[in-house]
Amino acid sequence: MLEEEEQLKLTPRMELIKYKFLMTLDDEIVENKKEIKEKILKIAVEDKMTPYYQSVCEKFGWEVDEETLNTLKKSNTEELKKLDELIKNSEENDGESEIRKAYLNKSTFYCRIGEKEKALELFNETFNKTVSIGQKVDLLMTKIRMGFFFDDISIVETNLSSAKLILKKSSDWERKNRIKVYEGYHCLKLRQFKKAANFFLDSIATFTANELFDYTKFVYYSVLSSIVSFPRTDLKKKVIDAPEILTAIEEVPHLSELLNSLYNCQYKDFYRHLIAIYDGMEFDKILSEHRLFFCKQMRIIAYSQFLEAYRSVTLKSMAETFGVSITFLDKELSRFISAGKIHAKIDKVGGVVETTRADSRNEGYKEIIKIGDPMLNRIQKLARILN
């Protein structure tokens, strides 16, 4: 019999998120959809996931096998009957611990088959019968995974807040670090790359959240969120030289090359590996939503890093360094300069890019004025009221 913590980690089946997402991509992009469909249906049948089986068939227009559906329904009915009898028997004859265990079994049953609302309701009942901080956090983490599974942000945020509040009173560092991985994953979905990077790197030395994704995927997320967030010096210290990163980074094609080519100013290689990483992000449910933004930010970082070494440089020389055409580079820089993303100006006649260093003192003064004006107005209003 599995320990309670390990039992909870098995639900819901997180690999189904990936399979279901891949089925939404074009046939030209994902050629093995037949195999993916078979995997989804196999898991649904093995875990007796009647509601999930019906929902995926409806979503993708698959023919429902009535015999399979009836078998699943019958199995669910029989298992639910046993679970209800166990709850009744526990409430009549056993103590609080056994009653809680009976409710937990019913909760994980609904979670396993994909019955979201009933699972949440039963998990809440189980939570109210739970005393141990560790067990409470395990229940909340299961609900967070349900939020990821059903793409429900409100479930994720509500239970993340509850888990963090409970763990403030605890010295359970293993669960604290797992919650950081959960929060980092959530931040990644919300395009909060710097927050995600900090959460991931804080927990990288003691990663145990295998129920979410494996260590290679964790390193993939950690590097991509860091490379777009940290300055060059921090990137070297926190990522490039981190032994935990080095153990797995080579398992992701082009990831090490992208990181090191940017740091070592090898811009032709950087562009080549950026394109490969960009293409790979399309197959990741979380990153696919942000790959255009990520690619744009990476180009801004590379252009800015290159221009830091010059007061002026010709478009021709810069285009050759990046391995792109002058026309392409001219359009890119013009767009980023006009948006205030790169501090430079282009001399069209001379074909030269001139850097314009940001005046940090002037910018700071403007920020103080921006914040100070409303504050002065409030103080004056308060003074009038007091007078």
Side-chain angles (χ1 to χ4, degrees), residues 302-350:
Y303 294 146
S304 299
Q305 180 176 286
F306 174 84
L307 289 169
E308 276 178 15
Y310 300 92
R311 289 190 68 86
S312 65
V313 62
T314 63
L315 275 169
K316 182 182 178 184
S317 173
M318 189 172 176
E320 287 173 354
T321 302
F322 279 88
V324 297
S325 70
I326 295 173
T327 306
F328 172 81
L329 184 63
D330 185 17
K331 286 181 180 177
E332 281 264 281
L333 291 178
S334 298
R335 184 156 56 95
F336 293 143
I337 290 168
S338 63
K341 301 295 183 182
I342 293 176
H343 300 291
K345 59 183 179 181
I346 300 174
D347 179 356
K348 294 279 188 181
V349 177

Side-chain angles (χ1 to χ4, degrees), residues 92-104:
E92 290 174 354
N93 304 304
D94 297 324
E96 291 180 1
S97 177
E98 289 78 13
I99 294 170
R100 179 193 168 277
K101 181 66 176 174
Y103 273 92
L104 177 66

Side-chain angles (χ1 to χ4, degrees), residues 155-344:
I155 293 175
V156 174
E157 292 182 342
T158 301
N159 291 286
L160 263 177
S161 298
S162 299
K164 285 161 64 181
L165 192 64
I166 290 172
L167 285 170
K168 275 185 179 179
K169 307 167 189 173
S170 169
S171 57
D172 188 337
W173 293 106
E174 191 267 339
R175 286 184 174 89
K176 283 184 177 182
N177 283 322
R178 277 171 63 199
I179 279 293
K180 285 181 182 178
V181 179
Y182 282 55
E183 193 158 13
Y185 188 58
H186 178 56
C187 288
L188 204 60
K189 181 176 177 59
L190 299 180
R191 198 183 284 178
Q192 297 171 356
F193 287 118
K194 190 166 185 178
K195 277 188 176 181
N198 284 321
F199 283 125
F200 287 149
L201 294 180
D202 279 351
S203 56
I204 198 164
T206 53
F207 174 79
T208 55
N210 295 290
E211 66 275 13
L212 270 187
F213 35 69
D214 61 27
Y215 189 71
T216 302
K217 177 70 79 173
F218 176 64
V219 168
Y220 175 58
Y221 287 151
S222 300
V223 172
L224 290 187
S225 56
S226 298
I227 197 173
V228 80
S229 304
F230 296 141
R232 199 161 175 267
T233 49
D234 287 352
L235 206 57
K236 173 73 171 169
K237 183 172 63 177
K238 295 180 177 180
V239 182
I240 294 173
D241 291 341
E244 296 88 0
I245 296 284
L246 293 171
T247 58
I249 192 170
E250 297 295 341
E251 295 177 33
V252 183
H254 303 282
L255 189 59
S256 175
E257 293 85 350
L258 177 71
L259 179 62
N260 288 292
S261 60
L262 177 64
Y263 183 79
N264 295 321
C265 307
Q266 298 164 337
Y267 296 112
K268 275 186 185 177
D269 292 339
F270 164 79
Y271 241 118
R272 184 160 51 86
H273 296 299
L274 177 62
I275 291 167
I277 288 289
Y278 172 81
D279 289 341
M281 289 170 77
E282 186 170 9
F283 300 95
D284 187 284
K285 186 178 189 299
I286 295 292
L287 295 178
S288 63
E289 301 172 25
H290 311 304
R291 65 191 194 121
L292 285 171
F293 173 83
F294 175 85
C295 192
K296 183 186 78 173
Q297 290 301 114
M298 289 302 297
R299 299 198 310 274
I300 290 170
I301 290 167
Y303 294 146
S304 299
Q305 180 176 286
F306 174 84
L307 289 169
E308 276 178 15
Y310 300 92
R311 289 190 68 86
S312 65
V313 62
T314 63
L315 275 169
K316 182 182 178 184
S317 173
M318 189 172 176
E320 287 173 354
T321 302
F322 279 88
V324 297
S325 70
I326 295 173
T327 306
F328 172 81
L329 184 63
D330 185 17
K331 286 181 180 177
E332 281 264 281
L333 291 178
S334 298
R335 184 156 56 95
F336 293 143
I337 290 168
S338 63
K341 301 295 183 182
I342 293 176
H343 300 291

Side-chain angles (χ1 to χ4, degrees), residues 1 7 11 44-51 71-87 102 104-114:
M1 190 75 173
Q7 180 188 354
T11 53
V45 171
E46 282 178 354
D47 281 9
K48 313 291 191 297
M49 301 173 70
T50 307
T71 302
L72 293 178
K73 285 181 176 179
K74 183 182 178 184
S75 176
N76 287 167
T77 302
E78 290 173 354
E79 188 173 353
L80 188 58
K81 184 180 178 182
K82 289 178 183 177
L83 291 168
D84 285 333
E85 287 173 356
L86 182 62
I87 288 174
L104 177 66
N105 288 337
K106 190 173 180 180
S107 307
T108 52
F109 162 76
Y110 278 126
C111 181
R112 190 194 79 219
I113 68 172

